[in-house]
Amino acid sequence: MRVRPAVSEAELEAHLHGICFKTGPPRRIGVEIEFLVHDARNPRCPVEPSRMRAAAAALRALPLHSSLSFEPGGQLELSSLPATSLSACVASVTDDLARVRPAMRDLGLGIAGHGHDPWHSPRRILNEPRYDAMEAYLDRWGPAGRSMMCATASVQVCVDAGYEEPGTLGLGRRWVLAHLLGAVLSAAFANSPVSEGIPTGFRTTRQAVWSQLDPGRTLAPPLGPDPRAAWSRYVLDAPVMCIRSTDGPWDAPPGLTFREWIRTGVPRPPTREDLDYHVTTLFPPVRPRGHLELRMIDAQPGDAGWIVPLAVTAALFDDPEASEHAYRIVKPLAETAGSHPAPRNPLWRRAARGALTDPELRTAAVACFAAAQEALPRLGAPAGVRAAVAEFTERYVARGRCPADDRLDALHAADGTGRTDHGRAGEGAPGTAARNRLTLGKDSQ
């Protein structure tokens, strides 16, 4: 593996400052959508690795606009190119999905939008050095790491960092907005209440899983006045998950932070490429990659369910009037969040468990979705996109519901109990498998 010579701590800090937030007028939008892959006839039947390899080969032969990849559990991911408008982004990804879905059907496979696999226990399909090292590292925090790697899927919306200067579309304002609005988006689009057929007690089990992982790489950095400095400290002080090698495992010494790696040079001096790779192993709710990557939204149901979170987020970040309105709506939520970082603070915990049954989150969501609907025509959003947002708002947000509530209603109707306590017929709590994976500490209840 060819790498550049090792560099100093000051040089790496300067490198982070230069790449983490690239400022300027908000002009581009992007989306990364993940799906669970399942047998088309029986979703409860695990898909064999050989079928996954055949699907990967077939899909990689398609002429797609988006980048295509697979997660460790076989989840399919499409990552759009940066688009200059919401409508262009929607059109590009819609076109790709129109090619992907038939190709999967030809192989007897389907793709489904669930934030957490409702059918199967986590099972790793991909055996690569990165994922071997990741699994070994995350196992130190319990079984949630394997659930994250192999059983979760999301809609990640990417927005520009904003202007360097203060103001409605300024970097500092957008950084704070992302972390407060993120809880509202997590609640409104919660879509993972079930694991292995059993309700977990959370409307977004995916977010609950993230809350149990290594805090040094999954919590948000402190929201101070200088996002660049805070992010640089966060990156360098985060534990190293893996050290790439051409002739052996990628395991890193336990407890080694990147800063310590720079200073000690053990087991070998790190390079700029090592730092860039290290950043890809950090998973806070909002990750700066030049742009802002919002990572808190569950994968959505339906062929076009991903469009609504993309449209709402774009409207609330890139339309100046809607962005200012959204900031005023969510700013009081900082008091509920308190001093603990997302997603382990009270605001995000409420979003994970109760979603829009929480009165404060529901009130904020209603106001934010109204602002987004007013902004979408100004952004040139197509009529179909505006209609999808309006339908979602009426069906869920206005009623204090989220997609997870539909799944729970269907589950209770199927077992004939009509229960609303997330228990299963004959049981008073989530099943053993789900409960074991979701035993959160007091600060995560």
Side-chain angles (χ1 to χ4, degrees):
M1 180 183 301
R2 294 188 61 184
V3 295
R4 298 191 184 98
V7 290
S8 70
E9 184 173 342
E11 288 175 304
L12 291 179
E13 285 181 341
H15 176 61
L16 282 172
H17 274 249
I19 67 171
C20 57
F21 298 97
K22 296 180 180 178
T23 53
R27 290 174 176 159
R28 296 177 299 177
I29 188 76
V31 67
E32 300 174 17
I33 52 176
E34 297 170 342
F35 298 96
L36 302 178
V37 176
H38 62 87
D39 183 88
R41 293 185 177 182
N42 182 7
R44 291 169 178 79
C45 178
V47 177
E48 293 303 315
S50 60
R51 296 180 71 190
M52 293 296 303
R53 287 193 292 270
L59 295 183
R60 287 182 176 129
L62 297 175
L64 302 178
H65 307 286
S66 304
S67 172
L68 180 142
S69 60
F70 289 87
E71 295 298 312
Q75 306 98 310
L76 167 67
E77 178 176 335
L78 288 176
S79 302
S80 76
L81 294 173
T84 55
S85 69
L86 172 61
S87 58
C89 185
V90 170
S92 174
V93 178
T94 299
D95 188 50
D96 286 343
L97 286 171
R99 291 180 170 87
V100 167
R101 293 184 187 276
M104 295 292 277
R105 285 198 297 269
D106 289 344
L107 296 169
L109 298 173
I111 55 176
H114 299 274
H116 190 280
D117 193 325
W119 307 298
H120 312 120
S121 58
R123 182 185 61 149
R124 188 151 64 96
I125 300 293
L126 298 184
N127 294 304
E128 299 176 1
R130 171 185 171 96
Y131 298 132
D132 293 342
M134 181 181 291
E135 182 178 278
Y137 178 92
L138 293 176
D139 277 350
R140 301 171 195 169
W141 280 266
R146 298 192 183 202
S147 285
M148 180 276 284
M149 291 176 63
C150 303
T152 62
S154 67
V155 176
Q156 298 175 18
V157 181
C158 300
V159 298
D160 279 334
Y163 289 100
E164 190 71 32
E165 299 78 14
T168 298
L169 300 182
L171 163 64
R173 173 74 68 88
R174 288 163 77 85
W175 183 241
V176 173
L177 174 63
H179 287 87
L180 294 176
L181 179 63
V184 179
L185 297 174
S186 178
F189 296 109
N191 185 42
S192 52
V194 175
S195 175
E196 296 182 50
I198 300 168
T200 63
F202 295 88
R203 283 173 170 80
T204 168
T205 298
R206 175 181 169 275
Q207 196 61 60
V209 165
W210 280 105
S211 297
Q212 298 176 67
L213 303 178
D214 170 18
R217 63 183 353 94
T218 58
L219 297 186
L223 298 181
D226 186 348
R228 284 193 181 87
W231 177 247
S232 296
R233 285 193 299 270
Y234 179 93
V235 171
L236 295 182
D237 291 334
V240 177
M241 176 179 284
C242 56
I243 296 178
R244 294 175 295 167
S245 171
T246 58
D247 56 0
W250 290 15
D251 298 335
L256 177 72
T257 68
F258 204 95
R259 193 184 302 277
E260 290 167 340
W261 188 15
I262 298 169
R263 292 175 178 179
T264 64
V266 176
R268 62 166 174 79
T271 66
R272 183 175 296 178
E273 288 86 353
D274 288 319
L275 179 64
D276 291 341
Y277 195 85
H278 173 63
V279 170
T280 72
T281 72
L282 305 179
F283 311 112
V286 182
R287 184 166 63 178
R289 303 286 299 275
H291 55 271
L292 303 183
E293 182 182 81
L294 278 67
R295 304 174 51 84
M296 71 290 297
I297 300 170
D298 280 357
Q300 295 296 291
D303 288 352
W306 57 275
I307 292 176
V308 177
L310 169 64
V312 170
T313 305
L316 296 179
F317 272 86
D318 291 349
D319 179 82
E321 184 178 337
S323 186
E324 178 65 24
H325 194 42
Y327 182 76
R328 293 179 181 178
I329 292 165
V330 302
K331 188 176 180 181
L333 298 179
E335 184 174 344
T336 300
S339 59
H340 293 292
R344 288 194 179 183
N345 64 45
L347 177 68
W348 283 70
R349 295 199 304 266
R350 290 185 190 179
R353 189 177 293 278
L356 297 190
T357 65
D358 180 87
E360 188 175 30
L361 285 166
R362 177 181 180 178
T363 298
V366 168
C368 284
F369 272 69
Q373 286 183 274
E374 292 179 1
L376 286 173
R378 296 193 293 266
L379 292 179
V385 171
R386 301 198 304 269
V389 173
E391 181 182 357
F392 186 97
T393 303
E394 182 179 355
R395 179 175 180 178
Y396 296 115
V397 178
R399 300 169 63 197
R401 290 174 61 86
C402 61
D405 291 306
D406 288 351
R407 301 198 180 279
L408 291 171
D409 289 348
L411 188 66
H412 299 320
D415 67 22
T417 63
R419 296 172 69 102
T420 58
D421 60 0
H422 293 190
R424 184 169 148 182
E427 300 174 1
T432 302
R435 187 169 58 246
N436 286 346
R437 284 202 302 278
L438 295 169
T439 302
L440 305 186
K442 286 184 178 180
D443 67 331
S444 299
Q445 292 296 321

